[in-house]
Amino acid sequence: MSSSTGAPAATAAGADPFDAGAGGILRQPKAVWATAGASVVAFMGIGLVDPILPSIAKGLQATPSQVSLLFTSYFLITAVAMLVTGFVSSRIGGRRTLLLGLAFVVVFAGLAGTSHSVTQLVDFRAGWGLGNALFVSTALAVIVGAAAGGSAAAILLYESALGLGMACGPLLGALLGNISWRYPFFGTATLMAIGFLCITAFLKEQPRPARKTSLLDPVKALGHGGLASAAVSAFFYNYTFFTVLAFTPFVLNMTPYKSGAVFFAWGLLLAVFSVIVAPRMQKRFGSLKVLGGSLVLLAADVAVLGYGDHTTAVVCTILSGAFIGVNNTVYTELALGVSDAPRPVASAGYNFVRWFAAAAAPYLAPKIEEWSDIHLPFVMAAATALLGALVVLVRRNALTHDIEELEPRHATQDSVSVFAD
């Protein structure tokens, strides 16, 4: 996806050049860094429970499928809430929506640490998912609108936050979870409270959009063939992604430290390939070729993971982070640039579809194992990755859009409907 990158605005005399966002992806306004920092912690919450899933199952005397509902409740609420985020943020403003989302996460993450049953924990994770949806979708809009260097730089910042959060989440979960499975939840609540303070201090009150977003706008946006195709392909891909993330810890059956190390390495590859490798591959081969090839390689990797020995499973788990990192970047760019819908609306519609797969995979994978064997969940995950690639192939014309025609319109939308400084 190409992006216009105009020269940075001149810094007013006496103004903080950092706030002016002058030059380069690392020279961003404080509001962007505060939002990106809080986003890191938000994404940490996704992989936080990975190393401690077996510990939670043991501590609460629950089965793997019951514990996997931690992901299902989280992402099911997140998916539905995507229809609400634009409605809320267009009425109360981006800053207040971010703070509301952070407040939900602080409260429900803290409550999760006090759970005495798996049912309580699953319910609290659902509340956490609502807060995360409000925060993450609005955070992307803030970063895209406020970042210096155009939408490409903004997406790289967002993907950097995602990658760093996904890498650090399992590490934090392992370090704190080795003491008690409850501590990672308390740790997340504390970090998000710090994020709340940073947003309060550095993000100014944002102008509200000229047009308020309705609850049905994200669904209407999916009427665009390109956006709908990207969402459907991402739906299949996310089933694969979250089979790896939520089911593999039970297969590896390692201590929290060892499992945390595996998923930390996985997250590092995810970060490096999403921020550094993916843009270079896109420039050389084109987004759709890169996405299709990466999905096929992910399918092969997951299939080998399911049938290999323990060492092979560890290697393939880590390696999957590379393909997931590439896919995340390309899908995000497609979702934001393939249609002429305002970016927050397009993002909400796209996420509404894809997060349902993230809710389904953690529940279905252990159930499929119970009904069959340890291999079939990974066969299913490999098949869904191939289905994602097939959608890209079949719908490549709809996914190919003249982005240059959209840039002026997106720039206008960013100024009125994305919460920019």
Side-chain angles (χ1 to χ4, degrees), residues 382-404:
T384 53
L386 291 177
L387 283 173
L390 182 63
V391 172
V392 171
L393 176 64
V394 173
R395 299 289 295 168
R396 60 187 180 277
N397 289 333
L399 289 168
T400 302
H401 198 99
D402 188 356
I403 302 300
E404 295 300 328

Side-chain angles (χ1 to χ4, degrees), residues 50 57 98 113 125 138 141 146 157 173 178 209 223 227 287 314 338 346 376 391 394 418:
D50 257 35
L98 288 176
R125 278 282 284 183
T138 310
L157 281 171
N178 197 58
L227 183 61
S287 294
V314 169
V338 75
L376 195 57
V391 172
V394 173
V418 178

Side-chain angles (χ1 to χ4, degrees), residues 141-142 144-146 206-211 342-344 407-421:
V142 168
V144 168
Q206 305 297 299
R208 298 179 190 180
R211 177 184 176 275
R343 283 179 172 132
E407 283 299 331
R409 177 165 182 171
H410 277 315
T412 302
Q413 291 165 352
D414 287 344
S415 67
V416 297
S417 65
V418 178
F419 308 102
D421 283 330

